[in-house]
Amino acid sequence: MFGFLKKGLKKTLEVIRSTAPVKQEKISKDELEDLLLEADVSYELVEKLMESLPSKVKRVQLYNTLISLFMYDTQSPQAEGQKPFVDLIVGVNGAGKTTTIAKLAQHSKSEGKSVILGASDTFRAAAIEQLKTWAEKIDVPIVYTKQGHDPSAVAFDTISSAKAKGIDHVIIDTAGRLHTQTNLGEELKKIVRVCGKALEGAPHRKILILDGTQGNSAINQAKAFKEMIDISGVIITKLDGTAKGGALFSIAEELKLPIYYVGVGEKAEDLIPFDPKEFVNTILDAIYTEESSEDVAKGDNVDLHNLTEAQQKRLEELLNNDGFDLLSKHFVSERETQESYRLKINDESDAIEVIDSDGNVLKSYSAEVLDSDG
């Protein structure tokens, strides 16, 4: 998986290396800001990320910050066992919609599932012919009609055929006219309603195909489709052809929807399930030197700005033992005197400190101690 992802992010990683040619243990916020902007992370998101990071950013700190953008369920509802399972595919012309449908069909076939395609983009004769060609190439059945016919009827007939023949997976194409056209929105809503009449609960996923080469400019397009039919998630295509891989962070943050797959090439196997952890780590590998075991032993595996649940519990235990009650993320109260003091992170000493109003350090808890069992 890592190999495929690195292939897809090749141009993005080249931009990162040209911006920060020397890998570091810590990177300054100024360098990091430039790097993220060059990779096409939106300016608004970069500013938001910078607020939560220290002046010198360690890998674990950046990892925890970036991975939090993908805190959405990416599991396919296909695991629920619905048969047939219906995917409705939407997106503008040129995003790679038809090719992605073929790849999805091939992916299902490789898992031993039967597939049928529905050519509900009846607006363009070329779209019908292209999907028919793919269906023949990958050897799956297809339901289609003539150009100009009712696309909802094709969707209904495709689902009905799947039910009659016991087919596992239905994938329905739709028109890809500009998302600003009102008639497209009404057409998509009708297809969704008709799918529900053909099979209760269908379509089970409404997947938006986004062209990765458009970067952040695809976000408004995605918002429009989400407003039209409340899409379930997205697939990013052509990731291998762009240096704008950082836009995936912005897309996840803005849409708050799962990214199901990313396209990293033309072959059927080049559509890969999106793994946020591997995506973030691939990016960070281009920025940071590998942490040595000595560094980890010193506590460098602890992000003081984003403590794990266990580390937070350990901090509260230590404070309690020293006579302090945690009031909030930034303040404690001394039980004996009822005085309030500030909690401050000292990035130089890798410690969380209790300080008074004059800046004097009353107590200090190192990262190493916070990562211990006591």
Side-chain angles (χ1 to χ4, degrees), residues 325-343:
D325 293 318
L326 188 65
L327 299 178
S328 69
K329 185 176 181 179
H330 301 290
F331 290 95
V332 296
S333 173
E334 188 174 27
R335 281 195 294 274
E336 186 176 337
T337 64
Q338 298 299 304
E339 289 286 332
S340 294
Y341 300 106
R342 186 182 169 195
L343 280 180

Side-chain angles (χ1 to χ4, degrees), residues 355-368:
I355 61 172
D356 62 19
S357 57
D358 296 322
N360 299 311
V361 178
L362 305 181
K363 289 290 179 180
S364 179
Y365 308 102
S366 69
E368 185 177 359

Side-chain angles (χ1 to χ4, degrees), residues 306-324:
N306 296 281
L307 296 178
T308 65
E309 187 175 333
Q311 291 161 355
Q312 182 69 27
K313 184 178 179 181
R314 176 67 175 144
L315 174 62
E316 291 179 24
E317 289 175 353
L318 292 167
L319 288 167
N320 181 62
N321 292 340
D322 289 330
F324 295 101

